[in-house]
Amino acid sequence: MSLNQAPAARRGRSSHPAPTAARPTRAADEITREVLSLAITFYRCFLSARDAFPDQATEMSFVKEAWDTACYNRNVDIELTPTLSKLMTNRGSHLRGELKTKIKPMVELMFGFKSGQNKKTIKANRDLTEKLKDDLTFTFKDIAARKGIYRNPLFQKAVNAMWFVNTRDEAVTQPQMFNPFPLPGFALVITVTEHLIDEWATGIRSDIPFTAHDYRDLYQTHINALRRFEEKTEKYGILDNILVRLHNIGRFHSGAQPITHHAPQPAITDATIAAAILEYQEDEETET
């Protein structure tokens, strides 16, 4: 090959870098995307397990912790830039909106709201809204008898649909944050459910934005109510049982194996070993 036929990179005349020159950048970008994806998962978990409507300082602490944890898991050290932070914080409203989307059809079906424009249907929906919102009636398992507070079947369905879809879902892969199901996450489910009931207040469902500005206080109200309920029923462990059940049934729904805390069983039992020793001794006696 003559000099004129040689690759431009060898002649030193081209302004275009050799193909290999771009590889480190592409590799770095790929690693950053991988870390970002993992960090977003951790960030969503923090929102679900700790505070779904964090203030700015708490939000940034979640972002930094999620990023640092993701970097540690991937054994890299990548700077958390404002752009990356923004990509993560945007997931807060996304998570809340996702939960609303999943629960919306459940509310209409399980509480019995009806679509329609006639006066009878509209009045029935308005009356139902008032009844459900009166003294947390919508949280009861048996709404008519007001029995089984915080055990409405809708809550388990919502938890399954949001956090336990399959074995790759967040609550399955991060059991340290979801076993038992976290109280703040449960409060978020209750808040979204009440918000969706609010959409039927006029008798005809109308979409109401589920914003932090409008629903942070309601969320905190449900947090406080759950903690008060937990405190007053501590002797009986009622809320603990509810949260454990939400996790266990959710995990079963995902198809994941149940979490056990038993020591792993040996591959060979003592009885098998004893039988082998006895068999050996008997063979020795026979041979002699």
Side-chain angles (χ1 to χ4, degrees):
M1 180 182 292
S2 68
L3 181 61
N4 289 335
Q5 293 173 320
R10 288 181 56 188
R11 298 198 305 269
R13 296 178 182 176
S14 173
S15 60
H16 299 289
T20 54
R23 288 178 186 170
T25 300
R26 287 200 298 269
D29 287 346
E30 182 61 34
I31 293 172
T32 300
R33 283 193 293 269
E34 184 179 337
V35 170
L36 176 61
S37 177
L38 185 58
I40 286 172
T41 296
F42 289 135
Y43 179 68
R44 283 170 55 96
C45 288
F46 295 160
L47 294 175
S48 301
R50 300 179 185 176
D51 188 348
F53 292 96
D55 57 32
Q56 187 174 13
T58 303
E59 180 181 63
M60 291 315 300
S61 71
F62 285 177
V63 167
K64 187 177 186 306
E65 182 180 354
W67 185 260
D68 290 346
T69 304
C71 285
Y72 177 82
N73 271 261
R74 291 296 179 263
N75 196 28
V76 295
D77 185 9
I78 300 174
E79 180 185 2
L80 176 61
T81 65
T83 299
L84 292 169
S85 295
K86 184 64 175 177
L87 288 171
M88 293 174 65
T89 56
N90 285 344
R91 296 307 175 111
S93 58
H94 181 270
L95 178 138
R96 296 186 293 266
E98 181 184 348
L99 182 59
K100 175 180 175 177
T101 299
K102 291 179 183 296
I103 295 180
K104 183 183 293 185
M106 301 179 191
V107 166
E108 181 173 355
L109 177 65
M110 298 182 70
F111 288 128
F113 288 105
K114 304 294 183 183
S115 299
Q117 300 289 330
N118 67 74
K119 293 182 179 180
K120 184 177 180 181
T121 299
I122 292 173
K123 183 179 185 305
N125 287 335
R126 283 203 306 263
D127 291 346
L128 179 57
T129 299
E130 292 178 5
K131 176 183 177 181
L132 291 173
K133 285 177 63 68
D134 181 38
D135 197 18
L136 295 177
T137 295
F138 73 93
T139 69
F140 285 86
K141 181 178 181 180
D142 185 335
I143 288 174
R146 284 181 55 84
K147 290 185 177 181
I149 190 170
Y150 294 129
R151 293 175 59 197
N152 191 292
L154 182 148
F155 298 150
Q156 184 70 64
K157 290 181 179 294
V159 167
N160 292 352
M162 184 67 186
W163 289 281
F164 291 97
V165 175
N166 53 50
T167 56
R168 299 181 303 278
D169 224 338
E170 292 158 358
V172 179
T173 61
Q174 307 298 326
Q176 71 279 9
M177 285 188 271
F178 290 91
N179 181 26
F181 194 77
L183 185 151
F186 189 31
L188 179 60
V189 171
I190 296 170
T191 304
V192 172
T193 302
E194 183 168 359
H195 160 74
L196 288 165
I197 293 171
D198 287 341
E199 293 192 334
W200 289 91
T202 64
I204 300 174
R205 196 193 73 78
S206 57
D207 189 59
I208 301 174
F210 186 62
T211 64
H213 178 270
D214 293 328
Y215 281 90
R216 179 183 285 111
D217 288 347
L218 179 61
Y219 170 73
Q220 192 59 53
T221 297
H222 284 302
I223 288 274
N224 295 339
L226 284 166
R227 287 177 176 159
R228 182 168 181 269
F229 179 75
E230 181 179 34
E231 178 185 352
K232 296 295 184 181
T233 62
E234 182 179 8
K235 176 181 177 181
Y236 308 99
I238 297 175
L239 185 60
D240 286 344
N241 288 336
I242 291 171
L243 297 177
V244 167
R245 182 177 174 83
L246 285 172
H247 168 270
N248 291 348
I249 293 179
R251 189 173 178 88
F252 177 81
H253 176 268
S254 74
Q257 292 295 316
I259 297 174
T260 61
H261 300 285
H262 303 296
Q265 294 298 312
I268 185 170
T269 65
D270 290 343
T272 301
I273 295 172
I277 293 172
L278 180 60
E279 181 181 338
Y280 174 79
Q281 291 172 337
E282 290 174 347
D283 288 344
E284 284 286 297
E285 292 175 359
T286 302
E287 291 177 1
T288 57

